[in-house]
Amino acid sequence: MQRSAPRPPLRFSTQTLLLQLGVVLLVVLLSAAVHAWLTYDRVGAEAENQALTLARTVASDPSVRADVLAISEQAGTPPASELSAGPLMAAAEAARARTGALFVVITDETGLRLAHPDPARLGEKVSTDPTEALAGQEVTTRNTGTLGPSAGAKVPVYAPGTETVVGEVSVGYSMETVGQSVQRDIGPVALTAAGALLAGALASFLLRRRLQRLTLGLEPEEISTLVHDQVAVLQGVDDGVIGVSADGRISVFNAAAQRLLGQRDLTGGLWAGAPVPGQLKSLTLPDAEEADAIELVAGGRVLVASARKALHRREDLGWVVMLRDRTELQQLTRQLDAVGTMSTALRAQRHEFANQLHTIAGFMSIGQHHQAREYLARLAATGPLKFPVDQAELLQDPYLQAFVGAKGVEADERGVTLRIGPETLVRSQVTEPQDVTTVLGNLIDNAVNAAVAGTSPDRWVELEVLDEPDDAGGTLHIVVADSGDGLGAGTEPEAVFAEGFTTAASGTPASGPAVSARAGGQGLGLALARQLARRRGGDVKVLEPGSEGGPGAVFMASLPHTTAGIKPSAGEDDDA
């Protein structure tokens, strides 16, 4: 016997619809029940008030008061036949017939009936307690007597001209009549409840349709899975992701974007007022188009940013901005450039070294040993390899010697003399070569370009480096000047540090970073160098803007904590 396959569970939207219908039905039923109860209570209270009014009217009738007093003064109670034909019975029945009451009962001071709709019960004690009325109090009641359930009132009967209670009048209206009044009112209530139920069902159905459209027909489990996947992807990638909704709010700002831009989580804020570079915002302007990636500097990093329009079918969902970090690639490129430069210099020096060996071999072969020794002495004094950098011996740090020497070879090939200024004094060793390479290499390259583009026939670049020792890590001060034509008329010194600033494309002669203030040809070099220096607590700034015909601009960079600290020797302590 094959077992039937289990029925698939109801969809979440269907469950929601059924739940909403159940809630609406429950609310309608409760509302109808409360309305019915309030109507029943209101009609009952009206019946009590009507009974109280009629009871007061009967009890205040002078003839009734006199007849009750007369019977109360007699010894015993008259027989039922006499009471049924008496004036009290006639007055009570007339009042009952006139008002439609269920009963009008008159009793003596002991609670014995003197008038009652059923003559057989005359002379008997009333079925409900008359104590309060016989004590002089007016009361309203809802109880079940011999004639059925009723809403009524009891009023004392006073002897004429006195405050002596000689009996009481009980009046009641049938609760069945009250129920009939409620039934008449329940019709509109039922119609209203049915209308509310229908409106609630329609609203629930429309809400179900909207819920399906908003969730793309996905079930809660599927939505939960998508959310987990989104979090895993957005927070697990190294690329920054920023989502901007169609209404201009930030919907996604993942951890990588926070790290790359140096910001906290900006999710939920307005994109227009977000503390991010303006170049990013320009990618998402209403008239912006999907373009190629751009480079910018933010948070001390070189970033590549691109934006794409997000669409679902034909619905505009906003923009997605992608950020990629190129800082390490820039540093690696700078290092490779330095290695390439040094390799070129070493190849040139290898030829020079080979020529020197050939010279020594020639002296030895012709027997000029004395001249060979003198030649070797001169080589020993100047070093086996000589970079084309004037006063290179002022740089004591081997890293600076090699890097600046390689830059000197590049400059020499372009007809520019690189020289070390007389104020140079470096007694410590460089401990952060990558940062020093980025700043120093950019300043020297810019200065060489400016010297080449300048109008001065004497092309030179002068470099001064001074270290400021400290036990916690010394500061390296770098000053670079050139023979170019300066920043150019009308150029503000701070403008050269703007991202993308360059005049290289226009060919306008200018000095230093005004020509090539860029990294990778994108006008980012100086901006990155300044942010890098400021991140370390230093700075890069313009000391002199220069003038046309030379000398050119002078730039200074301060790089704290980039050299090893120097401790005074014991002899220096003694002298101090």
Side-chain angles (χ1 to χ4, degrees), residues 43-129:
V43 175
E46 292 176 355
E48 289 176 355
N49 292 333
Q50 189 175 359
L52 181 61
T53 301
L54 180 58
R56 288 173 178 172
T57 302
V58 174
S60 62
D61 188 344
S63 61
V64 172
R65 296 171 68 180
D67 292 341
V68 173
L69 176 61
I71 294 176
S72 297
E73 290 178 345
Q74 295 179 10
T77 303
S81 58
E82 181 180 343
L83 291 174
S84 63
L88 291 178
M89 186 68 172
E93 286 301 298
R96 184 176 70 85
R98 185 175 64 252
T99 60
L102 177 64
F103 61 85
V104 176
V105 177
I106 303 175
T107 71
D108 61 8
E109 76 280 4
T110 61
L112 297 179
R113 299 185 180 100
L114 302 180
H116 192 275
D118 184 3
R121 297 188 179 278
L122 292 174
E124 297 179 357
K125 195 172 184 63
V126 293
S127 59
T128 57
D129 186 13

Side-chain angles (χ1 to χ4, degrees), residues 22-48:
V23 171
V24 170
L25 179 62
L26 179 61
V27 170
V28 169
L29 291 178
L30 288 177
S31 300
V34 171
H35 182 77
W37 167 252
L38 292 177
T39 302
Y40 179 81
D41 186 69
R42 176 180 56 80
V43 175
E46 292 176 355
E48 289 176 355

Side-chain angles (χ1 to χ4, degrees), residues 524-544:
L524 300 174
L526 265 186
L528 176 61
R530 168 174 272 191
Q531 289 202 22
L532 186 150
R534 288 183 172 178
R535 189 170 58 185
R536 305 189 65 88
D539 201 357
V540 177
K541 56 187 177 181
V542 179
L543 292 183
E544 295 290 341

Side-chain angles (χ1 to χ4, degrees), residues 446-447 450-451 482-488 496 509-516 545-546 551-555:
N446 293 334
D482 59 68
S483 61
D485 291 340
L487 300 183
V496 300
S511 180
V515 172
S516 58
V554 180
F555 285 79

Side-chain angles (χ1 to χ4, degrees), residues 388-450:
V389 178
D390 293 346
Q391 303 188 76
E393 64 276 4
L394 295 177
L395 295 174
Q396 299 298 319
D397 179 71
Y399 177 82
L400 290 178
Q401 287 180 350
F403 183 74
V404 174
K407 287 297 180 183
V409 173
E410 275 190 344
D412 185 64
E413 291 177 350
R414 301 182 65 185
V416 178
T417 300
L418 177 60
R419 66 194 185 203
I420 306 300
E423 301 296 328
T424 295
L425 177 60
V426 180
R427 296 168 293 174
S428 54
Q429 292 186 346
V430 173
T431 57
E432 298 291 339
Q434 290 186 358
D435 290 353
V436 173
T437 297
T438 300
V439 177
L440 180 58
N442 183 75
L443 293 180
I444 294 177
D445 289 344
N446 293 334
V448 170
N449 291 336

Side-chain angles (χ1 to χ4, degrees), residues 33 131 206 259 266 338 447 469 541 544 554:
T131 304
L206 294 177
R259 173 176 55 83
L266 302 178
K541 56 187 177 181
E544 295 290 341
V554 180

